[in-house]
Every structure is written in C-alpha cells, then in structure tokens.
Amino acid sequence: MATSGHRQLITVSDPAALATAAAERLLARIATNSGRVAICLTGGSSPKKLYQLLATEPWRSKIPWPRVHWFIGDERFVSPEDPLHNMAMAQRTFLDSCAPAANIHPIPTDSVNPDEAACRYERVLQSFYGADRFDPAESLFDIVLMGVGPDGHTASLFPFYPAIDETERWVVGVPEAHVEPFVPRVTLTLPALGSCREMLFEMAGTEKRAILTRLLDGENLPASQARAIGETIWLVDRAALPENFGGQ
Ligand code: 6PG
C-alpha cells in the first residue's frame, strides 16, 4: 500500500553535500516538533556520512537528545556484535556517544526467529505510538530515512516478496534476502514507514545510477511505492543521476 504524499527530487553535488543536506533536513524536522521526536534510521552504507556528521559539531549540539527517540526501519537478523547489524552501526557511529540509552530502540535480534522479532518490535512501536491502528492525522515518525538497493528494494521490502503488500502488520520477518547480505531480515512495512511527516531517501554515487534511472522511468518497485503521508524526498547526488538528466 503506498500512501499519496507529495514526492520531490533534490539534487546535490556529491556525497558530502548530500550528508549535509540530510542533516539540515533532519534538524529542520526536529525543529517543527517541540515534544517527543521519533526518527527512523536506515542501514546500509548510504547513511554513514550523515551519522558521522550528527556526532560532530555544529550538528551534535543542535539536537535535543533527551527528547529524540531513534528507531530502525529494517534489521539484518544477526547479533549486534555482527558488522552487518544496522542499528549497531548507527550506535557505534553516533547514538552511543550522543543519545540516552533509553531513547535507542533496536529491533530485538535475540528473538528465536525474525517473525518473533517483528512481533516484539511491532509492540514497541504501538506502545510508543499509543495505538495499534494508524491515524492518518498522527504520524508515528517525524522523519524516516531510507536507502535503495540495486533491485529497487528499500528497508527490507524486496520486489515481489509478500512483505511489500502487507497492509495490517507494522513489522514483518523476511526469511530470505533478495540481494546481499543473504541473511534473514526484519522490516517495517509500507504503512508503518509511511506514517511519517517526512521520508528521506539518500542515493549517491554511480552505483545507484542504474536503479535511479529505473525509478525515474516510473518502474513500480518497492522504493517507488514507499511514500510518506507527509513529504517524500529523494536526495541524490549528481553521480547517481542518469546521464543527460535534465529535470528536477
Ligand atoms: C539494509 C538496508 C537496505 C539499504 C539499501 C541500500 O539493511 O540492507 O536497510 O534497504 O538501505 O540496500 O544500501 P546501501 O546504502 O548500502 O547502498
């Protein structure tokens, strides 16, 4: 299920500018909420520069850490000691040195299987949200960060897998990945990811050009189906853009 918010493509010069632009958007989004803020992070390599920035000045001092909560949109079903673990990467890069431990909400990969981890995380999200059904007027997250894989997956929502069509569950187990790393996953579903004021995709480098070309051509892939109830932003650098791309 895709929600129908507005989608905008923003181009920047290179990966450094992309991380700065993402940090600015994140800070701007926090500034619009004077209460408890919920941010959903993503894994993969794309957000690392952003995470490094958030741990350094001037960004670090601008974040009201005690009232910001950090979640993750998908997780590889491995222990937090494994270098593949998404939230552990975010924790090492900035959360553990900046955020109160009680505000960090990892997917529990100590569960017996990905489905049980998904059920447990769904309860965490529902308790934080205060309901087990989404109210379109009330977003779960202030901002959701997203990446795009070579097959057009986002979070761990792979093309043609049943998880992409899920409309009831907030989090599901994915027994097999479609691309590397081939470990089971746990992923938020489109309705849960979409319950946000802003969904921010980061795509940088020539290795994203082929998939970005397919997405801009309108191919129906998980990354194009994922939409915020608020704004959906595709933040891309020049190297990721198709050759001769003229539009904005
Ligand atoms: C994961 C991710 C996944 C990722 C994309 C892009 O756990 O693998 O959350 O959806 O964001 O595959 O990955 P890169 O940023 O490494 O290109």
Side-chain angles (χ1 to χ4, degrees), residues 117-189:
C119 291
R120 284 171 64 191
Y121 206 52
E122 187 166 273
R123 287 196 292 273
V124 169
L125 293 175
Q126 292 178 344
S127 144
F128 185 86
Y129 185 66
D132 58 8
R133 312 285 306 172
F134 287 116
D135 172 354
E138 200 62 50
S139 294
L140 169 59
F141 300 115
D142 290 86
I143 185 162
V144 172
L145 303 179
M146 301 280 255
V148 179
D151 57 351
H153 80 261
T154 192
S156 284
L157 296 167
F158 298 104
F160 313 114
Y161 278 34
I164 192 73
D165 297 318
E166 180 59 51
T167 55
E168 295 299 317
R169 298 286 309 276
W170 294 23
V171 190
V172 295
V174 179
E176 265 177 47
H178 188 239
V179 292
E180 286 186 341
F182 291 105
V183 291
R185 313 289 185 98
V186 180
T187 187
L188 271 63
T189 58

Side-chain angles (χ1 to χ4, degrees), residues 80-100:
E81 287 72 45
D82 191 309
L84 292 176
H85 196 278
N86 284 335
M87 193 56 139
M89 181 276 282
Q91 288 187 240
R92 279 193 307 276
T93 313
F94 79 109
L95 290 177
D96 285 347
S97 56
C98 300

